[in-house]
């Protein structure tokens, strides 16, 4: 036992020294940060994409295909997690105290806070999602905040807070969340077709929009909404399954 | 200010890795996420701050607490 | 320089935790810590060339670099996916073998 512990500590020390030698020169080197990208974006970002929030302009305008790839990564990871959570398996070690695990959640404080906070958080998430083009925020941020709101609803439902007041608020079933996610992902795929039509220069979508007579920023807003719904529904689905996984 | 917050983040992370109680570690990580979000706001990155606050303090804490509740709370090694 | 040394320290903390901690949940903590160290480094470096958030309009000033911020947004979201997948795998292993200890798991898996 002690031998293994010293081996462990030795391995840790070796890992620390080696990684220090590899990473420290990169982290501590005093190279000047390049300014070219910032200067280009400050002058051309609004013209190219229509978004005055330059971070949104980058990840939904210039790098929209990258963002499509990221949503696919997210979809794959969440699908893997969800299938691992719900899959039935043999249980040799766990399950001895399933009954008393969920008890600490059932307090009045949690009931009240989850019930009162959920609508406010959902509203904030919708704001962050819809105004990502002109203020800090965007699809990913708004989606995660929306997911937090749905988690609050799920906690309130588990402890009987919100569900007791208005049963319709507990309509966020697993199936509807999965449907929202699938629909939003199809929306993202559809929205990327104009970019495919314009081949490599995906950010010329703004010019394309202008040619159609709609504001240049509309693609960014639509992508924000689709990504927000997709991320929100996916993360919320996983967390709701986690919270309610041992109910039965 | 930046250095102070980074120092607190380092301390919180080290505590999360060293504590015997995994739940205490999850709470410490959640606190370091909130501190990082504050730091991102100071560093003029409001987008990253919103994401870090929602993801680090919200979603990943839910995931960690779920995993601890479903498995075991003490680190026995 | 102090700030960068502290971020380096944070990254090394995560890496040493990943190699020496045997509890799988602790390993997931370590991954999350390394992720946040990288995010902090990029945002800190990118903020060095300006004094204003990258939003057009508003007060005069020079922008910070928005490129690392956009990249780190991606990194944070992927990081939470990594945590989620790692922890669900740890949960399945615990369901099957009844332990979270990596060495114990290696022994048990080797026996089958």
């Amino acid at each position: 036992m002690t031998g293994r512990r010293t081996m462990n500590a030795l391995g840790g020390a070796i890992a620390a020294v080696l990684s220090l030698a590899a990473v420290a020169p990169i982290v501590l080197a005093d190279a000047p940060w390049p300014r070219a990208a910032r200067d280009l974006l400050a002058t051309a970002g609004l013209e190219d994409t229509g978004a005055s929030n330059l971070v949104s302009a980058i990840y939904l305008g210039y790098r929209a295909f990258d963002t499509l790839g990221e949503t696919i990564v997210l979809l794959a990871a969440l699908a893997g997690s969800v299938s691992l959570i719900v899959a039935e398996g043999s249980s040799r070690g766990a399950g001895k105290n399933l009954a008393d695990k969920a008890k600490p959640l059932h307090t009045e404080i949690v009931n009240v806070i989850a019930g009162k906070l959920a609508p406010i958080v959902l509203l904030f998430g919708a704001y962050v999602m819809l105004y990502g083009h002109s203020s800090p925020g965007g699809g990913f941020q708004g989606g995660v905040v929306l997911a937090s709101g749905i988690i609050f609803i799920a906690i309130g439902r588990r402890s009987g807070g919100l569900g007791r007041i208005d049963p319709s608020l507990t309509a966020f079933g697993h199936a509807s969340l999965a449907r929202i996610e699938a629909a939003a992902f199809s929306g993202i795929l559809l929205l990327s077709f104009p970019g495919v039509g314009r081949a490599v220069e995906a950010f010329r979508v703004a010019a394309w929009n202008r040619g159609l007579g709609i504001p240049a920023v509309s693609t960014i807003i639509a992508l924000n909404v689709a990504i927000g719904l997709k991320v929100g529904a996916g993360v919320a689905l996983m967390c709701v399954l986690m919270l309610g996984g041992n109910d039965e | 200010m930046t250095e102070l917050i980074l120092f607190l983040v380092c301390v919180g992370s080290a505590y999360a890795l060293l504590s015997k109680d995994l739940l205490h570690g999850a709470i410490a990580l959640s606190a370091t996420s909130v501190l990082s979000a504050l730091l991102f706001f100071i560093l003029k990155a409001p987008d990253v701050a919103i994401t870090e606050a929602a993801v680090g303090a919200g979603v990943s804490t839910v995931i960690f607490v779920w995993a601890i509740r479903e498995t075991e709370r003490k680190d026995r090694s | 320089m102090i700030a960068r040394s502290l971020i380096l320290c944070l990254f090394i903390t995560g890496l040493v935790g990943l190699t020496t901690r045997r509890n799988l949940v602790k390993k997931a903590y370590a991954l999350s810590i390394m992720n946040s160290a990288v995010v902090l480094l990029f945002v800190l470096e990118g903020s060095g060339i300006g004094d204003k958030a990258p939003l057009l309009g508003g007060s005069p000033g020079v922008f910070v670099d928005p490129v690392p911020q956009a990249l780190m947004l991606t990194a944070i979201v992927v990081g939470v996916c990594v945590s989620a997948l790692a922890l669900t795998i740890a949960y399945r292993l615990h369901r099957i073998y009844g332990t979270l200890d990596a060495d114990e798991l290696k022994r048990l898996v080797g026996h089958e």
Side-chain angles (χ1 to χ4, degrees):
Chain A
M1 192 68 197
T2 48
R4 198 168 60 178
R5 191 154 291 168
T6 39
M7 279 292 284
N8 225 334
L10 197 67
I14 292 171
V17 170
L18 284 182
S19 56
L20 202 66
V23 181
I26 303 171
V27 176
L28 300 177
D30 221 357
W33 189 264
R35 286 144 197 266
R38 192 266 318 264
D39 295 341
L40 174 77
L41 284 163
T43 52
L46 185 61
E47 176 72 15
D48 279 344
T49 63
S52 55
N53 177 2
L54 291 179
V55 176
S56 284
I58 293 171
Y59 83 84
L60 295 176
Y62 294 97
R63 290 176 51 239
F65 279 118
D66 235 359
T67 306
L68 177 67
E70 189 197 344
T71 54
I72 294 172
V73 169
L74 216 128
L75 186 72
L78 292 181
S81 302
V82 167
S83 65
L84 281 172
I85 293 168
V86 298
E88 284 302 315
S90 71
S91 160
R92 250 185 258 166
K96 48 188 179 295
N97 52 351
L98 277 179
D100 55 5
K101 269 178 181 165
K103 282 288 183 288
L105 273 176
H106 289 253
T107 64
E108 278 304 313
I109 295 173
V110 171
N111 280 359
V112 171
I113 290 188
K116 297 280 186 290
L117 220 51
I120 301 169
V121 173
L122 284 175
L123 190 66
F124 176 63
Y127 168 78
V128 168
M129 185 174 88
L130 286 171
Y131 285 87
H133 58 285
S134 63
S135 63
F140 287 107
Q141 296 94 319
V144 180
V145 176
L146 280 179
S148 322
I150 298 175
I151 292 167
F152 276 128
I153 291 180
I155 293 174
R157 175 176 56 179
R158 276 175 54 82
S159 41
L162 208 56
R164 217 165 30 203
I165 302 162
D166 183 359
S168 68
L169 281 173
T170 65
F172 287 101
H174 303 165
S176 51
L177 281 176
R179 269 187 224 113
I180 292 173
E181 181 177 11
F185 188 65
S186 321
I188 298 171
L189 286 177
L190 278 177
L191 280 168
S192 54
F193 276 126
V196 177
R198 300 294 304 195
V200 283
E201 289 176 297
F203 65 88
R204 294 294 165 93
V205 168
W208 196 72
N209 281 346
R210 238 180 251 121
L212 288 178
I214 48 179
V217 74
S218 50
T219 305
I220 301 252
I221 296 178
L223 269 175
N224 262 337
V225 172
I227 290 174
L229 288 177
K230 193 217 158 289
V231 173
V235 174
L237 175 63
M238 185 180 69
C239 291
V240 167
L241 280 175
M242 284 175 171
L243 286 170
N246 57 5
D247 263 2
E248 52 280 329
Chain B
M1 192 65 187
T2 310
E3 283 84 5
L4 177 67
I5 294 177
L6 277 174
F7 178 72
L8 290 175
V9 168
C10 279
V11 171
S13 305
Y15 176 76
L17 288 176
L18 290 175
S19 73
K20 286 281 170 211
D21 192 331
L22 291 173
L23 196 59
H24 293 182
I27 304 299
L29 276 187
S30 163
T32 62
S33 278
V34 173
L35 284 173
S36 321
L38 179 64
L39 184 59
F40 292 140
F41 187 74
I42 292 171
L43 292 174
K44 309 287 187 295
D47 294 86
V48 189
I50 295 176
T51 317
E52 178 73 33
V55 166
V59 174
S60 73
T61 308
V62 169
I63 298 169
F64 283 136
V65 170
W66 165 79
I68 294 164
R69 200 184 64 184
E70 294 292 312
T71 57
E72 51 200 47
R73 190 170 157 179
K74 300 289 175 201
D75 182 4
R76 287 179 305 199
S77 56
Chain C
M1 201 49 156
I2 301 172
R4 271 189 271 171
S5 313
L6 281 168
I7 290 174
L8 183 65
C9 169
L10 189 63
F11 186 83
I12 301 292
T13 307
L15 204 125
V16 171
L18 188 64
T19 48
T20 58
R21 299 291 106 187
R22 298 214 308 273
N23 190 296
L24 290 181
V25 177
K26 285 260 175 89
K27 283 185 194 285
Y29 287 178
L31 281 176
S32 158
I33 288 166
M34 285 165 75
N35 183 51
S36 68
V38 172
V39 172
L40 281 166
L41 178 68
F42 269 77
V43 173
L44 181 74
E45 290 295 294
S47 76
I49 60 168
D51 52 9
K52 181 169 172 264
L55 297 163
L56 294 173
S59 59
V62 193
F63 295 124
V64 300
D65 196 347
V67 178
Q69 296 187 12
L71 294 177
M72 288 310 111
L73 218 61
T74 311
I76 291 176
V77 176
V78 172
V80 75
C81 288
V82 169
S83 297
L85 203 53
L87 285 171
T88 42
I89 291 171
Y91 160 68
R92 293 300 296 173
L93 283 170
H94 187 271
R95 289 268 296 197
I96 295 169
Y97 294 107
T99 179
L100 280 177
D101 189 308
D103 290 354
E104 193 80 0
L105 278 171
K106 200 157 64 179
R107 197 173 58 77
L108 287 170
V109 174
H111 270 289
E112 289 198 352

